[in-house]
Short mmCIF file of all heavy atoms in Angstrom, two decimals:
data_model
loop_
_atom_site.label_atom_id
_atom_site.label_comp_id
_atom_site.label_asym_id
_atom_site.label_seq_id
_atom_site.Cartn_x
_atom_site.Cartn_y
_atom_site.Cartn_z
N MET A 232 24.94 -7.65 18.32
CA MET A 232 24.03 -8.76 17.96
C MET A 232 24.78 -10.08 18.02
O MET A 232 25.90 -10.17 17.54
CB MET A 232 23.54 -8.52 16.56
CG MET A 232 22.08 -8.08 16.52
SD MET A 232 21.58 -7.82 14.81
CE MET A 232 20.22 -8.88 14.82
N THR A 233 24.12 -11.05 18.55
CA THR A 233 24.74 -12.35 18.67
C THR A 233 24.40 -13.30 17.55
O THR A 233 25.03 -14.32 17.40
CB THR A 233 24.28 -12.99 20.01
OG1 THR A 233 22.88 -13.25 19.92
CG2 THR A 233 24.59 -12.12 21.23
N THR A 237 15.76 -15.11 19.11
CA THR A 237 15.03 -15.20 20.36
C THR A 237 13.58 -14.78 20.13
O THR A 237 13.25 -14.22 19.07
CB THR A 237 15.66 -14.27 21.42
OG1 THR A 237 15.51 -12.92 20.95
CG2 THR A 237 17.13 -14.56 21.64
N ASP A 242 9.48 -11.04 18.01
CA ASP A 242 8.44 -10.06 18.32
C ASP A 242 8.77 -8.71 17.70
O ASP A 242 7.91 -8.02 17.18
CB ASP A 242 8.24 -9.92 19.82
CG ASP A 242 7.55 -11.13 20.45
OD1 ASP A 242 6.92 -11.93 19.73
OD2 ASP A 242 7.63 -11.28 21.70
N GLU A 247 7.93 -4.60 13.49
CA GLU A 247 8.46 -3.78 12.42
C GLU A 247 7.71 -4.07 11.11
O GLU A 247 7.53 -3.15 10.26
CB GLU A 247 9.96 -4.04 12.20
CG GLU A 247 10.81 -3.59 13.35
CD GLU A 247 10.95 -2.08 13.44
OE1 GLU A 247 10.81 -1.42 12.43
OE2 GLU A 247 11.15 -1.60 14.58
N GLN A 248 7.25 -5.27 10.95
CA GLN A 248 6.59 -5.67 9.73
C GLN A 248 5.17 -5.12 9.63
O GLN A 248 4.72 -4.77 8.53
CB GLN A 248 6.52 -7.21 9.65
CG GLN A 248 6.06 -7.73 8.33
CD GLN A 248 6.14 -9.24 8.29
OE1 GLN A 248 6.13 -9.92 9.33
NE2 GLN A 248 6.18 -9.81 7.09
N MET A 253 0.79 -2.22 6.54
CA MET A 253 -0.24 -1.19 6.46
C MET A 253 0.07 -0.17 5.36
O MET A 253 -0.81 0.25 4.62
CB MET A 253 -0.39 -0.49 7.81
CG MET A 253 -1.02 -1.39 8.88
SD MET A 253 -1.26 -0.55 10.44
CE MET A 253 -2.53 0.59 10.02
N ILE A 255 1.87 -0.70 2.67
CA ILE A 255 1.64 -1.39 1.38
C ILE A 255 0.15 -1.38 1.05
O ILE A 255 -0.26 -1.10 -0.08
CB ILE A 255 2.22 -2.82 1.39
CG1 ILE A 255 3.77 -2.74 1.44
CG2 ILE A 255 1.74 -3.63 0.21
CD1 ILE A 255 4.47 -4.06 1.71
N ARG A 262 -3.27 3.41 -5.33
CA ARG A 262 -3.01 3.09 -6.74
C ARG A 262 -4.28 2.67 -7.44
O ARG A 262 -4.55 3.10 -8.58
CB ARG A 262 -1.99 1.97 -6.84
CG ARG A 262 -1.61 1.64 -8.29
CD ARG A 262 -1.08 0.26 -8.51
NE ARG A 262 -1.99 -0.75 -8.00
CZ ARG A 262 -1.63 -1.94 -7.58
NH1 ARG A 262 -0.37 -2.27 -7.54
NH2 ARG A 262 -2.51 -2.81 -7.15
N ILE A 268 -9.48 6.63 -11.64
CA ILE A 268 -9.58 8.02 -12.15
C ILE A 268 -9.00 8.13 -13.55
O ILE A 268 -9.59 8.74 -14.43
CB ILE A 268 -8.83 9.00 -11.16
CG1 ILE A 268 -9.59 9.06 -9.83
CG2 ILE A 268 -8.67 10.38 -11.80
CD1 ILE A 268 -8.81 9.72 -8.71
N ALA A 272 -11.13 9.19 -16.75
CA ALA A 272 -10.70 10.36 -17.48
C ALA A 272 -10.40 10.01 -18.95
O ALA A 272 -10.72 10.77 -19.87
CB ALA A 272 -9.49 11.00 -16.82
N ARG A 280 -16.04 15.12 -23.97
CA ARG A 280 -16.79 15.78 -22.92
C ARG A 280 -15.85 16.08 -21.73
O ARG A 280 -14.87 15.38 -21.55
CB ARG A 280 -17.95 14.94 -22.43
CG ARG A 280 -19.03 14.69 -23.48
CD ARG A 280 -20.10 13.77 -22.95
NE ARG A 280 -19.42 12.56 -22.40
CZ ARG A 280 -20.04 11.58 -21.81
NH1 ARG A 280 -21.33 11.63 -21.62
NH2 ARG A 280 -19.40 10.53 -21.36
N CYS A 282 -14.60 16.00 -17.86
CA CYS A 282 -14.67 14.99 -16.81
C CYS A 282 -15.75 15.37 -15.80
O CYS A 282 -15.90 16.53 -15.47
CB CYS A 282 -13.34 14.86 -16.10
SG CYS A 282 -12.08 14.06 -17.11
#
Side-chain angles (χ1 to χ4, degrees):
M232 252 179 125
T233 65
T237 64
D242 287 344
E247 293 289 332
Q248 189 176 23
M253 290 181 68
I255 291 169
R262 183 202 57 207
I268 292 167
R280 295 176 308 176
C282 288

